[in-house]
């Protein structure tokens, strides 16, 4: 069985005049929501996992906040250019490249790719995975290349914790 934890980056700071990839998270709501959700998911984490993040600044900052709160060594977070995508097909191709020695994968990424992935592979209908939102999915397959028809085990959204 494979476990996938999809985490959408924290709320972006739209006041920063910069390229999309360099946009930071909002110092107020972005940071607060990321810390709130990361505290709430501690019990959902498997014993062993690998962590991938988009190369976008807001995803890397979100990963750092989650790592800080969950006592995950940030040096183990792997930046992957392919996760900087808004396309579900590209995200799925990237996830399916995970080595089978890892049974659990945590990804810090972007919408629409995350919401579309959950809806397609999780057999559910979610309008929108919000910023700092977390969706935990299990797949019965033993090979990442073969994942399909997973089960959404848990959803943790900031609005549900306030």
């Amino acid at each position: 069985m494979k476990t996938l934890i999809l985490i959408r980056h924290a709320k972006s700071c739209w006041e920063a005049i910069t390229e999309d990839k360099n946009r930071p998270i909002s110092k107020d709501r972005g940071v607060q929501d990321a810390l709130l959700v990361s505290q709430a998911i501690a019990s959902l984490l498997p014993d062993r996992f690998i962590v991938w993040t988009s190369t976008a600044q807001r995803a890397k900052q979100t990963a750092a906040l989650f790592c800080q709160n969950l006592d995950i060594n940030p040096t183990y977070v792997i930046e992957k250019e392919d996760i900087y995508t808004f396309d579900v097909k590209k995200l799925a191709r990237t996830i399916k490249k995970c080595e089978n020695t890892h049974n659990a994968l945590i990804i810090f990424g972007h919408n629409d790719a995350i919401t579309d992935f959950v809806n397609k592979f999780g057999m559910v209908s979610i309008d929108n995975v919000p910023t700092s939102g977390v969706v935990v999915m299990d797949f019965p397959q033993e090979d990442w290349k073969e994942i399909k028809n997973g089960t959404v085990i848990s959803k943790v959204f900031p609005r549900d914790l306030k």
Side-chain angles (χ1 to χ4, degrees):
M1 179 166 60
K2 300 298 182 193
T3 299
L4 177 64
I5 300 174
L6 293 165
I7 304 172
R8 184 174 171 198
H9 65 76
K11 182 76 175 162
S12 300
C13 176
W14 287 94
E15 295 168 1
I17 300 172
T18 185
E19 292 179 6
D20 181 70
K21 199 169 191 178
N22 296 326
R23 186 172 297 113
I25 64 173
S26 152
K27 298 238 183 282
D28 51 5
R29 185 172 148 206
V31 171
Q32 291 168 2
D33 285 356
L35 292 175
L36 180 68
V37 172
S38 61
Q39 288 173 352
I41 68 162
S43 65
L44 301 175
L45 295 183
D47 292 336
R48 300 184 67 209
F49 50 84
I50 187 170
V51 182
W52 292 350
T53 184
S54 159
T55 54
Q57 186 66 20
R58 59 194 180 275
K60 294 189 295 186
Q61 288 176 322
T62 304
L65 287 169
F66 272 71
C67 286
Q68 171 189 320
N69 243 11
L70 295 169
D71 201 27
I72 298 170
N73 186 334
T75 61
Y76 294 126
V77 176
I78 300 166
E79 293 181 23
K80 289 205 167 269
E81 183 67 36
D82 289 349
I83 296 174
Y84 178 66
T85 185
F86 311 100
D87 178 71
V88 67
K89 289 179 183 174
K90 187 173 180 184
L91 180 62
R93 279 194 305 269
T94 301
I95 290 167
K96 289 180 177 196
K97 291 178 186 174
C98 188
E99 293 179 19
N100 286 319
T101 54
H102 306 290
N103 288 323
L105 171 63
I106 299 173
I107 289 184
F108 292 88
H110 307 272
N111 254 0
D112 294 325
I114 287 179
T115 297
D116 291 345
F117 186 94
V118 170
N119 289 335
K120 180 176 180 178
F121 290 87
M123 311 302 288
V124 296
S125 179
I126 297 175
D127 288 337
N128 180 50
V129 174
T131 52
S132 295
V134 175
V135 178
V136 181
M137 302 173 69
D138 278 345
F139 294 90
Q141 293 81 23
E142 294 297 324
D143 188 329
W144 283 106
K145 291 180 189 85
E146 303 298 324
I147 62 167
K148 61 183 178 212
N149 302 337
T151 303
V152 173
I153 300 302
S154 185
K155 298 179 294 188
V156 181
F157 298 164
R159 67 177 172 257
D160 300 330
L161 301 173
K162 294 179 181 179

